[in-house]
Amino acid sequence: MESSRRFGLRTDHAVIAESDLTVVNGMIFDGIAEEPYRGGVRIEAGRIVEAGPDVTGSGRVIDAGGGTVLPGLIDAHLHAFAIDLTGALADRIPGSYLGVKAARRLTAALARGFTTVRDVAGGDPAFARAGVEGLYWSPRYLYTGAALSQTGGHGDSRGADSVECSHGHQMCEVVDGADQIRRTVRDRFRRGAHAIKLMTSGGVVSPADPLRVPQYSTEEVRAATEEAARRGSYVAVHAYSPEAIIHSVLAGCRSIEHGNLLDTEAAAIMAEHGAYLVPTLAAYRANEDRGPAVGMPEFAQRKNREVLDAGRDSIPIARAAGVPIGFGSDLMGDLQDDQLNGLRLQAEIDGWPNTLRSATSVNADLIQRDDLGRIRTGCVGDLLVLSGDVFTDPEVLCDPDRPRTVIRSGTVCFEG
């Protein structure tokens, strides 16, 4: 966890926007265009009121010094409560301790430049409220509550020889049958969920399920997507294999999380139905490089190797088919500090303009917020100011020790 001194953390924790804040002398990447332009951004009452080459300073002025100014980054697959590598610890310790750990994980993400995160396996209204009230420094926090898994699915932490019961947990809940899924989804929305998360294929850290086999019946998946649609929301699914991806998309799911084993047929179906791919390359690389040292089980190491390189191959397949590609980190436990490495890995395959769009405007479209992920008049005043040109020196973004200024809703949260 980065120290508050290192990132210039303000100590009052107030999330009240500056009355007038202007960033000048920057190279502005607006979240959409291929190339940046030199100019500035002015924010009033938390929203952008002017952006362009001729913006002049008023109120508080921050000189970008010729560095890159980006929209605040969006991580569409973050796990605030994943304080160990399997998620099991979250179900065995008091919620008060877990909440403090989760808050520190979110503060660290904000310090890196992620002003919005989507937690796709956890969160509740009380934890979200604490961030809104400024009790801890938090990105904009969108949560699904515990992800839903079938018995013996990716969210079922029991091994083959376990006889214990599996009920509701912090990160995953075992729910079977269309009627019970419908009831659970309705309750998730009652408790303020942004969207719903389903496990529709096997996973790396679950001990009893193969990676490729689709999970949940079509009837069960449709129960979730129909209820979400009624609320103007959507379903995100954990899915690796083409079979699981097609099964999920045809049942109405909006985003495929991971998708490492994607093939051309599945990509074409995703494009036809407007489904998003959210790659999570940082997780597999960190699992391979650092997982054994921090306690990753041997079975999880084996499964991780099955999808490690395939995750890189899925991105050009999706790009060729016209699938919108977002960005997620999916880092568990002490691996959380590899979040920025996910951008580096994705850019090695898809280039920096595409990757920055993935982590800004594309993710904003995914989460149904066209006022985020862009630098334009009327959008929320979330900015990341870097000390250099990210297109020629990507380490100004990817190296967490390089200085940066993070602005959320017009408030300067971190200065470096």
Side-chain angles (χ1 to χ4, degrees), residues 166-339:
S166 183
H167 301 295
H169 295 302
Q170 289 283 354
M171 293 186 62
C172 291
E173 181 178 0
V174 174
V175 181
D176 292 301
D179 287 343
Q180 187 58 43
I181 286 173
R182 195 179 302 278
R183 216 173 283 119
T184 303
V185 167
R186 288 172 178 171
D187 195 58
R188 288 285 190 276
F189 286 122
R190 177 187 71 83
R191 291 174 58 76
H194 161 75
I196 302 299
K197 170 74 175 297
L198 297 181
M199 306 299 198
T200 61
S201 85
V204 168
V205 298
S206 44
D209 58 344
L211 282 167
R212 286 182 170 270
V213 177
Q215 297 177 2
Y216 276 132
S217 68
T218 298
E219 180 187 19
E220 289 171 311
V221 178
R222 284 200 179 278
T225 59
E226 289 169 3
E227 289 299 323
R230 288 191 187 98
R231 293 294 294 251
S233 185
Y234 62 92
V235 173
V237 296
H238 162 107
Y240 281 115
S241 67
E243 304 96 314
I245 292 168
I246 292 170
H247 167 65
S248 303
V249 171
L250 293 182
C253 298
R254 179 174 175 84
S255 73
I256 299 297
E257 311 296 307
H258 318 303
N260 294 47
L261 305 177
L262 182 73
D263 65 11
T264 55
E265 179 190 5
I269 290 172
M270 287 181 67
E272 179 185 352
H273 289 80
Y276 289 70
L277 176 68
V278 180
T280 56
L281 302 183
Y284 309 103
R285 186 71 264 162
N287 288 344
E288 175 70 11
D289 294 345
R290 300 166 58 198
V294 292
M296 174 166 276
E298 176 59 34
F299 77 83
Q301 295 176 45
R302 291 195 304 270
K303 291 170 109 177
N304 187 73
R305 293 185 195 109
E306 291 184 50
V307 295
L308 174 63
D309 293 331
R312 298 173 63 87
D313 298 336
S314 69
I315 292 176
I317 293 172
R319 181 67 67 194
V323 174
I325 301 171
F327 169 82
S329 60
D330 189 33
L331 293 158
M332 311 281 280
D334 292 338
L335 303 181
Q336 63 160 329
D337 56 4
D338 268 15
Q339 189 178 27

Side-chain angles (χ1 to χ4, degrees), residues 81-99 101 156-159 162 164-172 205 207 294-295 297 299 332:
F81 294 87
I83 64 172
D84 68 319
L85 287 189
T86 66
L89 186 58
D91 300 324
R92 298 199 303 265
I93 63 174
S96 54
Y97 176 83
L98 184 64
K101 291 280 284 188
D156 189 338
S157 60
R158 299 171 297 177
S162 174
E164 66 182 292
C165 294
S166 183
H167 301 295
H169 295 302
Q170 289 283 354
M171 293 186 62
C172 291
V205 298
V294 292
F299 77 83
M332 311 281 280

